[in-house]
Amino acid sequence: MTTLSPENSLSARLSASFILVKRKPPIDKTEWDGFFDENGQLAKSRDFICVNILERGLHPFVRTEAWKFLTGYYSWQSSQDERLTVDSTRRKNYEALCQMYEKIQPLLENLHRNFTETRNNIAYDIQKLYDKDPLGNVLIDKKKLEKILLLSYVCNTQAEYQQGFHEMVMLFQLMVEHDHETFWLFQFFLQKTEHSCVINIGVGKNLDMLNNLISFLDPVFAKHLKGRGAGVVQSLFPWFCLCFQRAFKSFDDVWRLWEVLLTGKPCRNFQVLVAYSLLQMVREQVLKESMAGDDILLACNSLVDLDADELISAACLVYAELIQKDQTALPKSTALSRRSMSIPVDLGLGLSTQGLKRMSLAG
């Protein structure tokens, strides 16, 4: 097994400070276009681009196209002509799904006992969305949003509709121009993030990893949470269900975090480190006031209007702290996923020496 050196841990801390201290501008259209050769193929490596996104983010004018690479909508090896073909195919496939849905809708209403209830839930959730900007301009098309959510519910057997999906898909609709792009980007986003926001697939795993992480890095806080704060961590599931959407001050901040999650940098399941960082924001108050469960949740729910760069930087520092910890301190009895990992301490986060080395840009 590979042993992580102090130099690698320092590299992680430098990458974290790079986000806030150097504040290099996000990747803009000119720089993004420079990543491609004359055939429209990426001349820069996937790792180079992903590390840049981790440390700098994307300009809004670049985000739509970049996300198509990050989610797998486009292949990283594709040419411009191939991407035009892919986009055309995805549009036709979406239209075919819409036609199929129109045909089977009566059957679903009569034979699928959950369909009508789910359709009503989607309609109710969408009506609650505030769809205008401060100037009164309409931001989203609620009818199209409802159609996309229903189609996703019918077609995606892994991720049935859950409250909060309407808010997530709304952000995809705001980002792109066409319905087929909204639909497919949302599907690919769920796959790329390993369905980590889906209650019956990834949320429980996230909460288990978060519990393990707290116990490993902060035993004092863990003891309090298991005592007076019993059940608190399990009650933080909305963080994961919404991918922390309600914690930020702007949609740009939400997109900023989500695109980092899509890069897989600095590790898989980075959302768990983000949740740990949020908990650390209330830690001192919780321990000082010896808060119990409901009060702790109230403090956690008060974490709003956050800056994405600050939170990402804090989570990167947690990553550095985690890999620097004495690996022999982990009890053998602790249930951790170590499959296909290159370091002893993992906690299911997908940490690796190789991934860490790629965190910091040269120059």
Side-chain angles (χ1 to χ4, degrees):
M1 283 186 181
T2 304
T3 301
L4 293 171
S5 68
E7 290 77 11
N8 285 330
S9 182
L10 177 61
S11 169
R13 294 183 184 278
L14 289 174
S15 187
S17 65
F18 187 95
I19 296 172
L20 294 180
V21 178
K22 295 189 178 181
R23 289 278 189 177
K24 192 173 181 181
I27 301 168
D28 62 17
K29 188 69 168 63
T30 301
E31 184 176 4
W32 175 258
D33 289 344
F35 290 166
F36 296 85
D37 63 20
E38 62 276 6
N39 296 317
Q41 289 184 301
L42 282 168
K44 297 291 186 180
S45 72
R46 177 177 178 175
D47 280 339
F48 174 87
I49 294 172
C50 286
V51 171
N52 266 274
I53 292 172
L54 166 66
E55 297 189 337
R56 298 168 53 198
L58 294 164
H59 189 279
F61 291 165
V62 172
R63 187 163 278 135
T64 298
E65 185 176 12
W67 275 50
K68 288 182 177 181
F69 286 95
L70 290 172
T71 58
Y73 184 105
Y74 289 152
S75 166
W76 289 90
Q77 289 75 42
S78 61
S79 66
Q80 176 66 24
D81 289 341
E82 288 170 339
R83 290 195 292 278
L84 290 173
T85 301
V86 165
D87 196 67
S88 176
T89 300
R90 298 214 187 281
R91 177 180 54 79
K92 291 176 182 178
N93 288 343
Y94 175 75
E95 291 171 351
L97 289 174
C98 290
Q99 293 171 3
M100 176 204 70
Y101 171 74
E102 294 296 331
K103 291 179 179 179
I104 68 172
Q105 184 178 348
L107 289 174
L108 292 171
E109 292 172 346
N110 293 324
L111 301 178
H112 198 306
R113 61 182 181 180
N114 293 328
F115 174 77
T116 301
E117 180 183 357
T118 301
R119 183 175 60 183
N120 291 339
N121 289 338
I122 290 173
Y124 177 75
D125 288 341
I126 288 177
Q127 288 309 310
K128 292 188 298 181
L129 283 175
Y130 191 75
D131 61 350
K132 297 180 180 178
D133 66 14
L135 298 177
N137 300 312
V138 176
L139 292 172
I140 58 172
D141 187 320
K142 289 187 174 182
K143 285 294 183 184
K144 289 184 177 180
L145 184 59
E146 182 176 356
K147 180 181 179 180
I148 291 168
L149 285 166
L150 277 169
L151 195 61
S152 178
Y153 166 68
V154 172
C155 298
N156 191 338
T157 56
Q158 280 191 292
E160 293 191 355
Y161 180 77
Q162 65 187 39
Q163 192 173 38
F165 274 3
H166 64 300
E167 296 182 35
M168 295 181 68
V169 175
M170 177 190 72
L171 287 185
F172 285 94
Q173 191 183 64
L174 288 172
M175 186 194 304
V176 300
E177 183 178 356
H178 303 291
D179 292 350
H180 73 275
E181 295 173 304
T182 303
F183 175 80
W184 288 117
L185 278 176
F186 179 58
Q187 305 307 314
F188 283 117
F189 178 85
L190 293 177
Q191 293 178 21
K192 190 68 176 181
T193 56
E194 303 180 69
H195 293 86
S196 67
C197 63
V198 181
I199 290 177
N200 62 349
I201 302 178
V203 173
K205 296 176 183 177
N206 286 331
L207 294 171
D208 289 342
M209 285 189 283
L210 180 58
N211 261 319
N212 288 340
L213 186 60
I214 298 167
S215 297
F216 183 60
L217 290 182
D218 196 346
V220 173
F221 196 28
K223 182 178 180 181
H224 182 88
L225 291 175
K226 290 176 181 177
R228 288 184 58 78
V232 165
V233 172
Q234 295 302 313
S235 298
L236 295 175
F237 67 90
W239 281 356
F240 295 110
C241 290
L242 291 168
C243 282
F244 311 98
Q245 183 175 339
R246 294 179 181 171
F248 294 110
K249 60 185 179 183
S250 71
F251 290 156
D252 281 324
D253 285 281
V254 180
W255 286 320
R256 170 76 173 107
L257 175 65
W258 288 6
E259 62 204 17
V260 169
L261 297 180
L262 287 170
T263 67
K265 305 292 183 184
C267 63
R268 282 176 53 208
N269 299 310
F270 188 61
Q271 70 276 359
V272 179
L273 304 187
V274 171
Y276 178 86
S277 301
L278 287 172
L279 274 174
Q280 289 295 300
M281 293 180 186
V282 301
R283 178 189 187 275
E284 183 177 353
Q285 180 187 4
V286 168
L287 294 179
K288 183 178 180 180
E289 300 177 15
S290 190
M291 287 183 173
D294 289 344
D295 290 331
I296 298 174
L297 285 176
L298 187 63
C300 290
N301 291 333
S302 70
L303 296 172
V304 294
D305 295 333
L306 301 180
D307 179 276
D309 279 338
E310 292 178 2
L311 185 57
I312 293 166
S313 180
C316 285
L317 289 174
V318 173
Y319 173 76
E321 180 185 359
L322 176 61
I323 59 175
Q324 196 175 29
K325 267 282 193 178
D326 181 6
Q327 297 169 0
T328 62
L330 192 65
K332 293 182 179 179
S333 60
T334 303
L336 301 174
S337 171
R338 292 174 177 162
R339 295 187 299 275
S340 68
M341 301 302 170
S342 60
I343 63 172
V345 177
D346 176 20
L347 297 110
L349 296 171
L351 308 180
S352 69
T353 306
Q354 185 182 29
L356 178 59
K357 287 180 178 178
R358 290 171 179 162
M359 279 187 62
S360 200
L361 286 173

